[in-house]
Amino acid sequence: HVAETIKNFIAYFFSCDVCRTNFLNMYDGCGHGHCDRLKQEVLSVAGNDSDRMELALWLWEVHNSVNTRLMKEAATRQNREITHEENFAALFPTKRMCPGCWLDDDMTKWDNATVFDFLDGWYWPANSAPVDGQFKTIAASPAAASRPSARGTKASGPARGPVGAGLLTVLCLGSLALAAFTVSRNRRERRKKFIDSRFVPKKNGRC
């Protein structure tokens, strides 16, 4: 499961202890509903498009929740409450960046389809083609085809490139790094045991 791979990558490689602990606690508690939303295997780029969309939106929600928490912690250190403006400033994208990403003027509910379209263009611009054409594009929904995109142009046909596919590339590289780390750690442990077996008896003999 891709979400599980992300969790393992952060658990073994994220250098910030507090950040890592917060993420793992969030994940183990099914934070942002990932236990229900990310049930399907999405390791194949030919998988269900809605699965990839949910994965991207879940990561985006996690990102925003971290930003909001950090903003609140900063305000707490100053012995004050977070302001309305600061709360919205912590959210990505801002309304200025993506006016259509909200369903209402009061900014109380996101339009997930538009948010996904924005993320797709932000992290996978139109002039950045998939490597060797190996990734399939996500077909736009009827609603997406008829509404303005988050960048102010009409969506017509397939999306420019799936965020999920880009994430899969990163996660595959992360999995390889994790495997290399495991092999390296095992070798270090075997070497340590070998050294101990040579020197520990001599030390005991002198005592």
Side-chain angles (χ1 to χ4, degrees):
H1 200 289
V2 173
E4 187 74 16
T5 303
I6 295 173
K7 173 199 172 183
N8 291 336
F9 183 85
I10 290 177
Y12 285 101
F13 296 101
F14 216 59
S15 59
C16 172
D17 292 338
V18 175
C19 307
R20 180 174 61 249
T21 299
N22 285 334
F23 180 89
L24 295 178
N25 288 339
M26 177 279 301
Y27 186 91
D28 291 339
C30 292
H32 300 280
H34 78 82
C35 294
D36 296 321
R37 296 169 63 184
L38 307 178
K39 291 182 178 180
Q40 300 298 322
E41 294 289 345
V42 292
L43 296 178
S44 170
V45 296
N48 192 324
D49 292 342
S50 64
D51 293 335
R52 283 192 287 265
M53 180 175 177
E54 282 299 320
L55 176 63
L57 290 175
W58 176 72
L59 285 172
W60 161 71
E61 290 173 12
V62 171
H63 168 83
N64 272 348
S65 68
V66 172
N67 279 357
T68 301
R69 177 174 54 78
L70 293 176
M71 188 72 76
K72 289 180 179 178
E73 290 176 355
T76 300
R77 288 194 293 270
Q78 299 172 5
N79 297 317
R80 62 180 181 82
E81 297 291 331
I82 186 174
T83 66
H84 182 75
E85 291 75 16
E86 288 174 328
N87 185 65
F88 281 110
L91 301 178
F92 175 82
T94 64
K95 190 167 186 177
R96 181 176 181 180
M97 296 171 67
C98 182
C101 284
W102 298 90
L103 291 174
D104 58 347
D105 294 333
D106 295 330
M107 299 171 64
T108 61
K109 186 172 179 59
W110 294 95
D111 182 345
N112 286 343
T114 304
V115 168
F116 180 79
D117 184 56
F118 172 86
L119 295 174
D120 184 25
W122 184 267
Y123 292 105
W124 201 297
N127 60 355
S128 177
V131 179
D132 296 329
Q134 63 184 0
F135 297 128
K136 297 177 62 177
T137 58
I138 296 178
S141 65
S146 61
R147 73 172 191 278
S149 73
R151 289 172 298 283
T153 59
K154 290 285 185 179
S156 57
R160 280 167 294 277
V163 175
L167 289 171
L168 290 175
T169 302
V170 174
L171 293 175
C172 288
L173 293 175
S175 298
L176 292 175
L178 178 59
F181 170 80
T182 302
V183 171
S184 176
R185 182 179 60 182
N186 291 339
R187 287 179 177 175
R188 287 197 302 270
E189 290 176 352
R190 288 197 299 269
R191 179 173 177 78
K192 182 177 181 300
K193 290 179 180 178
F194 172 74
I195 293 174
D196 289 345
S197 67
R198 294 180 60 192
F199 291 99
V200 171
K202 293 181 181 180
K203 181 177 179 181
N204 291 340
R206 288 195 299 270
C207 293

